[in-house]
């Protein structure tokens, strides 16, 4: 039986206090271990919000999120921080790196927070940077690297504590076509070779085409379209909207 890694039940989120306009509405969703999920949808449809909720950066107004069998909404900040550190790797459109630090220092940093001894940190980070093809840029300050190279550093950083889940928000949004493909290849590598569960928000159809499950957010509601068989499925009764082919 396929093992589920993320389970979302009755998720609704409001940013405004009057609670008249949900940003996410009645979301029921299960993600299985090892899935590569893409999320597409118009700007403002709630894509970043749902990633932030899954990653424990934001607590939803209503509903439950279980990750690896643990309810993450309702956790105290200290436990949430530990959850983010150990279970989730984040990749952002604008990399979120320390520009004046070297690639190595950026990748080492999460190891410091997870208590890995200094003498091991360097070695582990070097190895990870080699895996993403940056062995010759280890000691370069990030500000001297290209966008694509910076995104590789951020992928190495996301992987460094060996999380089960990688969340990415428009990871190729700032890259040109050629570099984009290198990053797509790394996502496929993370999924196929490192067995990471990936959830990738993207406007880019070439990224979405690599996903095993394609999701679409429309006005805060989620629908699913599996790749391969081309099955289109309305996700829940309350979420009944149709998807274009
Ligand atoms: P997407 O990533 O799909 O573009 P977001 O999840 O960022 O969408 O935003 C969904 C909606 O929530 C948008 O209308 C946006 O303006 C609003 N929103 C996002 N973040 C906040 C916030 N921190 N406070 C208030 N409203 C927000
Ligand atoms: Mg967004």
């Amino acid at each position: 039986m396929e093992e589920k890694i993320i389970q979302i039940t009755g998720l609704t989120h409001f940013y405004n206090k009057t609670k008249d306009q949900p940003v996410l509405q009645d979301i029921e969703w299960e993600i299985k271990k090892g899935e590569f999920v893409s999320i597409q949808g118009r700007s403002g449809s709630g894509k970043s919000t749902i990633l932030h909720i899954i990653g424990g950066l934001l607590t939803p107004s209503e509903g439950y999120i279980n990750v690896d069998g643990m309810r993450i909404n309702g956790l105290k900040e200290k436990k949430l921080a530990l959850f983010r550190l150990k279970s989730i790797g984040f990749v952002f459109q604008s990399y979120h790196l320390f520009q004046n630090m070297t690639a190595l220092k950026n990748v080492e940093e999460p190891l410091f927070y997870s208590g890995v001894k200094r003498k091991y940190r360097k070695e582990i980070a070097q190895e990870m940077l080699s895996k993403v093809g940056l062995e010759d840029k280890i000691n370069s300050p990030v500000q001297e690297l290209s966008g694509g190279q910076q995104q590789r550093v951020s992928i190495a950083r996301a992987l460094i504590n060996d999380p089960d889940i990688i969340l990415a928000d428009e990871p190729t949004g700032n890259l040109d076509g050629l570099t984009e493909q290198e990053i797509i290849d790394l996502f496929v590598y993370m999924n196929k070779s490192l067995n990471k569960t990936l959830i990738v928000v993207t406007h880019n159809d070439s990224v979405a085409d690599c996903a095993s499950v394609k999701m679409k957010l429309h006005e805060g509601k989620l629908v699913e379209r599996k790749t391969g068989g081309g099955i289109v499925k309305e996700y829940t009764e309350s979420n009944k909207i149709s998807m274009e082919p």
Side-chain angles (χ1 to χ4, degrees):
M1 206 178 73
E2 288 177 289
E3 200 185 329
K4 54 183 183 239
I5 186 164
I6 299 169
Q7 189 168 28
I8 298 177
T9 314
L11 169 69
T12 292
H13 190 69
F14 303 92
Y15 282 112
N16 64 337
K17 290 218 165 59
T18 53
K19 295 198 165 183
D20 49 359
Q21 275 221 321
V23 171
L24 296 171
Q25 200 176 346
D26 297 330
I27 290 180
E28 308 283 332
W29 190 17
E30 270 180 23
I31 299 173
K32 297 188 185 72
K33 219 176 163 81
E35 275 182 350
F36 182 160
V37 181
S38 66
I39 303 179
Q40 296 191 284
R42 269 182 223 147
S43 180
S45 56
K47 305 183 297 295
S48 295
T49 303
I50 199 168
L51 274 197
H52 292 168
I53 289 173
I54 294 170
L57 292 167
L58 180 68
T59 301
S61 311
E62 296 167 15
Y64 305 103
I65 319 290
N66 281 282
V67 180
D68 266 336
M70 181 174 66
R71 164 99 53 96
I72 63 155
N73 54 311
L75 285 182
K76 295 246 159 54
E77 186 44 48
K78 226 177 174 173
K79 284 202 165 155
L80 258 186
L82 195 65
F83 160 75
R84 287 193 295 262
L85 187 68
K86 298 284 188 185
S87 304
I88 306 282
F90 289 99
V91 178
F92 300 95
Q93 175 171 1
S94 51
Y95 325 126
H96 292 203
L97 297 167
F98 294 104
Q99 288 291 317
N100 56 358
M101 278 167 38
T102 62
L104 187 68
K105 283 284 175 209
N106 271 280
V107 177
E108 267 189 66
E109 226 224 346
L111 290 173
F112 168 80
Y113 287 107
S114 55
V116 175
K117 289 211 172 74
R118 189 183 197 148
K119 59 178 175 184
Y120 302 120
R121 290 202 298 263
K122 189 172 169 186
E123 200 179 320
I124 298 168
Q126 268 175 342
E127 196 184 328
M128 194 55 78
L129 280 162
S130 302
K131 281 190 182 158
V132 300
L134 284 181
E135 54 278 9
D136 55 341
K137 298 290 178 193
I138 282 169
N139 293 311
S140 303
V142 162
Q143 61 205 357
E144 293 174 13
L145 302 180
S146 70
Q149 290 167 338
Q150 292 198 30
Q151 195 58 301
R152 286 165 191 251
V153 174
S154 89
I155 288 170
R157 180 190 54 188
L159 289 169
I160 199 72
N161 278 318
D162 197 23
D164 286 334
I165 300 164
I166 301 288
L167 303 178
D169 200 347
E170 302 282 3
T172 63
N174 287 354
L175 305 175
D176 60 56
L178 207 66
T179 318
E180 192 182 279
Q181 189 55 48
E182 294 171 5
I183 298 300
I184 293 172
D185 293 346
L186 270 180
F187 275 91
V188 172
Y189 165 75
M190 287 195 277
N191 181 238
K192 295 269 186 285
S193 303
L194 306 180
N195 300 315
K196 303 299 178 194
T197 304
L198 306 184
I199 306 176
V200 183
V201 164
T202 186
H203 278 113
N204 186 325
D205 288 338
S206 329
V207 177
D209 284 344
C210 296
S212 53
V213 177
K214 294 184 182 198
M215 306 298 290
K216 189 161 184 176
L217 261 172
H218 182 74
E219 294 176 357
K221 294 182 179 182
L222 197 61
V223 288
E224 175 186 35
R225 191 181 79 196
K226 297 246 189 224
T227 56
I231 303 156
V232 179
K233 160 173 154 188
E234 283 117 347
Y235 208 68
T236 66
E237 280 301 307
S238 60
N239 280 357
K240 245 184 190 163
I241 64 169
S242 61
M243 276 183 72
E244 58 266 33

